[in-house]
Amino acid sequence: MSIRNKSVQRLHKGILHQAVTNSEGVAIYFPFGKSNLTYGQLHSQAHKISLALQDLSLPKGSLVVLYLDKSPEAIAAVVGVLMAELAYLPLDVDAPDSRNQFIIEQSQAQAVLAREETEPPFFTQTLPFNKFDGLALYRSSAKAPGLKLPEGLAYVLYTSGSTGVPKGVMVTHTAALAFVDWARATFALKPEDTLTSIAPLHFDLSIFDIFAGLSAGCSLLLLTPSESKNPLLVSSYIAEYGVTTIYATPTLLQLMPRFGKAGRYDHSQLRQVLFAGEVFPIPALRALQEIWHTAKFYNLYGPTETNVCTWHPLPPKGTDDRKTPYPIGQPCPYDRCAILKEDGDISSELKGSGELLVSGASVMTGYLGMPEQTRQAMAEHEGRVWYKTGDLVAVDSNGDLLYRGRRGRMIKRRGYRIELGEIEAALHQYKAITQAACLAKEKEQSVSAIWVFYVAPEGPLPHTLLTEFLSERIPEYMLPDRFVHLPEIPQTSSQKIDYQALKQML
């Protein structure tokens, strides 16, 4: 039996249904703006945006750039764009102007929605068209787009390419709904639930918050980037708004036990914690399970190109003594996984180890305007097209997938292959260390040194002590050459470790 409700053919239709059946229910709590938005009000705002976009007479499926901070207006804009039968492309408002200008030009977007007072210098190919409710709508002054967009396109999210050039991941309504419908059912979302909306709109974790949450009639607790990074504030919000579901990266979640002071607040309504985007170090995870003992925990995995494609429910706290990170689990029912072996063979039986491949309903259509990069990212096997994730996995004795790191983070040193994530995992076992990131410094195409950046709230740790600790857990050839204590590890706008920023410190 299909998971999808056949009556739901567009990503936003579930939200529109709630506007009719649950119009007085709170759709959005926005503490930063000291305002709430009901489903009826959300629909009203989205409808105005939709009408303004329709006045542009753009071809169906055209791209609309959203240059908006995290706010109720931004959520209304997302819904309004989809109501107008267009596709949205959210920008990171904190990214450099040069990057955003590249995205606008490369995407050949036909319109831009921004705040009325915002006129960034990179709006060089846009003309003011309309202003309403504090928003400004710009129309592209560039020539008609030559890019071919897939039918049923819902949104485009730009990721950082390995070459430094951002790549636009194209996702259709059908692909997004494969995940959204499954998530809404699997995590039993209902109008009584309140979800934290932590992820920025340009990060794919936001798809769960907006579409799975709002289509189920839940209330979203909308947090700005600065609020999300304040664990004490988040802790107070969880209690004040009766949060039941949290979805975030481990980088943010692992701050809660140490700085959230959960003992001050009532978190008893929290029933599930979903995490994705990175490996969750076991010591930090155990500490979080200790303070949120009423909640079930789930490890979700998937790059932007597939959204969530595997998942693993964690066993109840205290029922196992696992010392290594939990598996990323089994494929979601709408996708299939395979393993690309080192010798080039593809195993669809999920055994052995190699690069993870994903095929199925949630996989992207391709990279916008980059047919060659799309071709390189795909493989054909047994009559199916597979996305090559670049992530290394192994299958354990239970048949679950274990994440082994990024192919790009595998280095060779003294003839040995080293996965830098393995060094990070070992460091996370040191109780005084709350965060760690490992990088290799290269010289003339060879590794000259392995550096470790770490956070220890009590202060720097002796290098000899760290080396001695690691020597009991990893081979000698993997031992780092340098240890650098930092007050905090830099984060990307997607709330992950910013390895590019750390490279500048090498």
Side-chain angles (χ1 to χ4, degrees):
M1 180 178 176
S2 172
I3 291 175
R4 185 170 304 120
N5 181 339
K6 295 297 184 181
S7 66
V8 179
Q9 300 174 346
R10 287 292 182 263
L11 195 50
H12 60 292
K13 287 296 179 67
I15 302 175
L16 301 185
H17 175 74
Q18 292 297 331
V20 174
T21 62
N22 187 24
S23 63
E24 296 303 314
V26 177
I28 297 173
Y29 293 115
F30 190 47
F32 181 79
K34 297 181 174 57
S35 62
N36 301 337
L37 211 62
T38 67
Y39 275 92
Q41 292 168 331
L42 174 62
H43 177 264
S44 178
Q45 288 191 16
H47 182 61
K48 288 182 182 179
I49 293 169
S50 175
L51 291 177
L53 288 167
Q54 290 175 38
D55 287 342
L56 292 175
S57 299
L58 301 177
K60 184 184 297 186
S62 296
L63 281 173
V64 178
V65 165
L66 303 183
Y67 187 74
L68 296 167
D69 50 359
K70 191 79 176 285
S71 62
E73 293 84 358
I75 305 300
V78 166
V79 180
V81 169
L82 297 179
M83 287 174 65
E85 297 188 303
L86 304 172
Y88 74 93
L89 193 172
L91 291 182
D92 175 5
V93 296
D94 295 320
D97 286 348
S98 58
R99 186 180 194 275
N100 284 328
Q101 181 172 351
F102 169 84
I103 291 174
I104 289 179
E105 294 177 355
Q106 194 273 337
S107 68
Q108 298 183 14
Q110 293 299 285
V112 177
L113 263 173
R115 291 210 174 270
E116 187 173 352
E117 67 274 12
T118 302
E119 292 188 24
F122 55 84
F123 284 10
T124 54
Q125 292 186 316
T126 57
L127 299 172
F129 181 79
N130 195 359
K131 293 186 178 182
F132 55 95
D133 294 344
L135 298 178
L137 176 60
Y138 298 82
R139 180 168 190 162
S140 173
S141 60
K143 62 181 181 180
L147 296 180
K148 181 175 176 58
L149 300 176
E151 185 176 353
L153 182 66
Y155 58 83
V156 174
L157 301 181
Y158 271 78
T159 65
S160 297
S162 58
T163 61
V165 177
K167 295 184 294 186
V169 177
M170 298 186 291
V171 181
T172 64
H173 286 266
T174 300
L177 279 168
F179 163 67
V180 167
D181 291 347
W182 170 82
R184 185 177 57 245
T186 299
F187 302 110
L189 300 180
K190 51 190 182 299
E192 294 77 23
D193 283 315
T194 298
L195 280 57
T196 54
S197 181
I198 293 174
L201 296 183
H202 60 273
F203 188 22
D204 63 334
L205 267 65
S206 66
I207 302 303
F208 172 84
D209 307 336
I210 299 171
F211 297 107
L214 292 180
S215 67
C218 304
S219 299
L220 294 190
L221 173 60
L222 214 62
L223 301 180
T224 64
S226 59
E227 287 177 314
S228 298
K229 295 174 184 177
N230 184 334
L232 184 58
L233 186 62
V234 172
S235 190
S236 68
Y237 284 166
I238 292 172
E240 181 179 353
Y241 292 93
V243 170
T244 62
T245 301
I246 292 177
Y247 186 29
T249 62
T251 292
L252 288 182
L253 290 174
Q254 63 184 337
L255 298 176
M256 296 303 299
R258 184 176 290 270
F259 304 109
K261 297 185 178 179
R264 290 186 182 180
Y265 306 101
D266 179 9
H267 291 176
S268 61
Q269 293 189 62
L270 186 61
R271 67 180 182 88
Q272 52 193 358
V273 178
L274 286 57
F275 59 90
E278 299 171 303
V279 173
F280 208 140
I282 287 294
L285 178 57
R286 294 287 188 232
L288 192 64
Q289 288 178 309
E290 187 70 34
I291 66 169
W292 288 343
H293 55 86
T294 61
K296 294 181 179 179
F297 283 69
Y298 300 87
N299 185 11
L300 306 186
Y301 162 85
T304 302
E305 288 83 349
T306 69
N307 208 313
V308 174
C309 57
T310 75
W311 72 303
H312 182 72
L314 272 58
K317 175 185 169 294
T319 59
D320 71 346
D321 58 354
R322 193 178 184 94
K323 299 292 191 298
T324 56
Y326 281 98
I328 57 174
Q330 296 288 323
C332 297
Y334 45 80
D335 283 335
R336 289 180 59 186
C337 293
I339 295 176
L340 176 62
K341 303 294 184 65
E342 195 170 313
D343 59 10
D345 286 343
I346 295 177
S347 170
S348 54
E349 297 181 13
L350 288 187
K351 58 184 180 181
S353 61
E355 181 180 358
L356 182 64
L357 308 184
V358 182
S359 178
S362 76
V363 177
M364 69 168 183
T365 303
Y367 296 116
L368 178 61
M370 296 182 174
E372 181 58 26
Q373 285 88 336
T374 299
R375 187 191 64 79
Q376 293 174 359
M378 302 297 185
E380 291 189 16
H381 178 64
E382 296 180 346
R384 300 175 68 94
V385 176
W386 302 81
Y387 170 68
K388 298 187 288 187
T389 65
D391 289 331
L392 303 174
V393 297
V395 181
D396 67 11
S397 57
N398 296 320
D400 286 322
L401 290 163
L402 300 170
Y403 179 78
R404 294 302 194 201
R406 286 290 298 167
R407 182 178 290 281
R409 299 199 71 220
M410 180 79 73
I411 64 170
K412 198 167 185 178
R413 187 192 198 199
R414 302 178 196 168
Y416 293 99
R417 291 186 177 183
I418 300 172
E419 170 51 56
L420 297 176
E422 188 175 345
I423 300 174
E424 292 173 351
L427 278 163
H428 283 133
Q429 296 177 38
Y430 199 102
K431 291 184 177 180
I433 292 178
T434 56
Q435 284 184 285
C438 188
L439 288 173
K441 186 172 184 178
E442 298 183 3
K443 184 177 182 181
E444 297 178 355
Q445 297 183 338
S446 65
V447 175
S448 62
I450 295 177
W451 288 48
V452 163
F453 299 90
Y454 70 96
V455 175
E458 303 303 321
L461 301 166
H463 291 193
T464 53
L465 191 64
L466 291 173
T467 300
E468 181 180 344
F469 177 83
L470 287 176
S471 65
E472 297 176 357
R473 289 161 177 80
I474 58 176
E476 184 273 336
Y477 63 81
M478 293 177 64
L479 291 175
D481 303 283
R482 293 283 302 273
F483 295 92
V484 180
H485 177 264
L486 296 175
E488 62 180 15
I489 298 289
Q491 295 180 23
T492 67
S493 61
S494 298
Q495 302 156 346
K496 301 179 184 179
I497 292 174
D498 191 342
Y499 287 99
Q500 296 301 318
L502 290 173
K503 280 184 179 179
Q504 305 305 310
M505 303 181 193
L506 294 177

